[in-house]
């Protein structure tokens, strides 16, 4: 299936604008990483430590009634999310509240006596475990980036490897930037979404790189920038179809997946958009400019 035929868009010619936009996004993402490292971002209990409980009531109960019941017991700094359908509420408390799951249960029994409930799930994470999870996550992201550059360098060459890693890092920073600006919670599900998008972005980039390599062998005399532009245009239809179908699946998760995976689905929606952008406007232009300069140096 070919959605768009015979386009001739000068993607490489737009590189100054795309590099500027990506640079701004990357700077915000780096600020977000600094905030995460300092613990000043909106950290989930996975990283900061705390308690997460999913409560199912026998009768409908809104978050305000739960908040009032907890407040009477001195549990004030809580995050509540009503789970659509099933009279369920998700309760999150950071470790700084000093309250446990048992204290929450006792508070709800006393504050909402006419509405019995069951604890569907309960998770308690200590601050030391949260810190270790944060360190392990950073190591996992760093190793995945190293693996990408080794794989691409082996399959293509070093310049393509660097281009793929820069594009993947761009996607990671862009997702962090959006979450940082919108003050959305950074938790394990967000990191899962980041690594998922990193793999998706790499696949998209490799498809374009494959076509570039083919065209470089076919058209030895054509200028590098023309070869790269032609390759991106030839794979544009495939890129759009893949991105749109993946985007629709992510949007469906976001709209109908429920509160528990809401942030995860939102991260996927953002990730698919930035990954599609980077495979066209970041990865290939970086390699094109690098290859062009290498050819000019050889010719001089």
């Amino acid at each position: 299936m070919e959605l768009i035929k015979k386009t001739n868009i000068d993607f490489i010619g737009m590189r100054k604008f795309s590099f500027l936009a990506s640079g701004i996004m990357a700077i915000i993402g780096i600020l977000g990483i600094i905030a995460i490292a300092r613990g000043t971002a909106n950290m989930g209990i996975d990283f900061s430590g705390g308690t997460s409980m999913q409560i199912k009531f026998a009768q409908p109960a809104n978050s305000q009634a739960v908040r009032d019941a907890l407040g009477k017991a001195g549990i004030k700094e809580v995050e509540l999310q009503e789970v659509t359908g099933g009279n369920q509420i998700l309760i999150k408390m950071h470790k700084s509240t000093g309250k446990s799951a048992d204290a929450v249960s006792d508070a709800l029994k006393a504050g909402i006596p006419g509405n019995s409930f069951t604890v569907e799930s309960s998770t308690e994470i200590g601050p030391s475990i949260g810190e270790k999870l944060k360190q392990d996550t950073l190591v996992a992201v760093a190793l995945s980036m190293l693996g990408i550059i080794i794989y691409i360098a082996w399959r293509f060459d070093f310049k393509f490897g660097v281009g793929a890693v820069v594009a993947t890092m761009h996607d990671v920073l862009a997702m962090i930037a959006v979450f940082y600006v919108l003050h959305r919670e950074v938790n394990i599900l967000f990191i899962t979404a980041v690594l998922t998008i990193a793999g998706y972005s790499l696949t998209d980039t490799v498809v374009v790189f494959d076509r570039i390599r083919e065209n470089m062998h076919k058209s030895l005399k054509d200028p590098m920038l023309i070869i790269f532009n032609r390759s991106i245009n030839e794979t544009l239809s495939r890129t759009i179809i893949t991105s749109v179908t993946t985007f629709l699946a992510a949007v469906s998760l976001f709209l109908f997946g429920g509160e528990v995976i809401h942030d995860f689905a939102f991260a996927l929606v953002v990730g698919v958009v930035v990954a599609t952008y980077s495979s066209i406007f970041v990865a290939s232009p970086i390699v094109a400019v690098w290859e062009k300069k290498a050819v000019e140096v050889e010719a001089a």
Side-chain angles (χ1 to χ4, degrees):
M1 180 179 177
E2 195 169 359
L3 193 65
I4 303 174
K5 296 181 179 179
K6 296 181 179 177
T7 57
N8 187 27
I9 303 170
D10 184 12
F11 292 108
I12 305 296
M14 304 177 197
R15 61 185 181 277
K16 290 183 180 177
F17 300 103
S18 60
F19 287 171
L20 177 63
S22 297
I24 293 172
M25 217 176 316
I27 290 172
I28 299 173
I30 291 171
L31 292 176
I33 288 178
I34 294 172
I36 291 171
R38 296 178 60 191
T40 55
N42 184 9
M43 306 299 291
I45 63 170
D46 305 327
F47 297 128
S48 61
T51 302
S52 174
M53 299 175 67
Q54 186 162 332
I55 307 289
K56 182 175 183 179
F57 289 93
Q59 301 171 23
N62 59 47
S63 58
Q64 188 57 50
V66 173
R67 189 179 297 280
D68 291 342
L70 296 176
K72 289 178 182 176
I75 308 173
K76 296 179 179 177
E77 296 181 7
V78 293
E79 297 173 21
L80 303 178
Q81 289 182 341
E82 292 185 32
V83 180
T84 306
N87 304 330
Q88 298 178 61
I89 289 185
L90 191 63
I91 302 173
K92 294 181 181 179
M93 297 184 302
H94 287 275
K95 204 64 185 178
S96 56
T97 60
K99 302 294 183 181
S100 66
D102 290 338
V104 172
S105 295
D106 292 341
L108 293 179
K109 287 175 185 175
I112 315 177
N115 194 353
S116 61
F117 64 87
T118 56
V119 179
E120 297 273 290
S121 65
S122 176
T123 304
E124 293 194 43
I125 298 177
S128 59
I129 296 176
E131 187 63 30
K132 187 175 187 312
L133 276 173
K134 193 161 65 178
Q135 292 175 0
D136 290 348
T137 299
L138 293 175
V139 171
V141 172
L143 289 178
S144 65
M145 294 299 111
L146 180 63
I148 288 171
I149 197 167
I150 292 174
Y151 169 69
I152 299 294
W154 166 73
R155 183 166 174 178
F156 297 92
D157 68 28
F158 183 70
K159 299 186 188 76
F160 286 84
V162 172
V165 167
V166 171
T168 305
M169 282 302 299
H170 165 275
D171 300 340
V172 171
L173 290 173
M175 292 174 72
I176 292 174
V178 171
F179 266 61
Y180 177 57
V181 170
L182 298 180
H183 201 58
R184 281 187 171 261
E185 185 176 286
V186 176
N187 52 28
I188 285 292
L189 285 178
F190 171 70
I191 300 302
T192 304
V194 167
L195 294 178
T196 302
I197 290 301
Y200 172 81
S201 174
L202 180 63
T203 304
D204 217 20
T205 302
V206 165
V207 170
V208 180
F209 281 179
D210 261 332
R211 184 59 59 92
I212 292 170
R213 182 172 58 179
E214 288 176 16
N215 287 336
M216 286 175 73
H217 291 159
K218 288 179 185 174
S219 312
L220 296 174
K221 295 182 179 178
D222 287 345
M224 279 295 163
L225 299 188
I226 291 178
I227 293 175
F228 275 71
N229 254 332
R230 185 190 307 150
S231 304
I232 297 172
N233 278 284
E234 288 176 354
T235 55
L236 185 61
S237 179
R238 179 265 177 204
T239 300
I240 291 175
I241 291 172
T242 304
S243 300
V244 168
T245 51
T246 310
F247 179 78
L248 291 176
V251 169
S252 299
L253 274 180
F254 178 71
L255 295 177
F256 308 113
E259 292 296 332
V260 176
I261 62 168
H262 197 259
D263 283 343
F264 171 74
F266 178 71
L268 289 182
V269 170
V270 174
V272 170
V273 173
V274 296
T276 304
Y277 164 83
S278 70
S279 67
I280 296 173
F281 291 100
V282 178
S284 299
I286 287 174
V287 183
V289 173
W290 199 346
E291 287 281 0
K292 178 175 175 286
K293 287 185 178 178
V295 171
E296 289 173 349
V297 169
E298 286 181 8

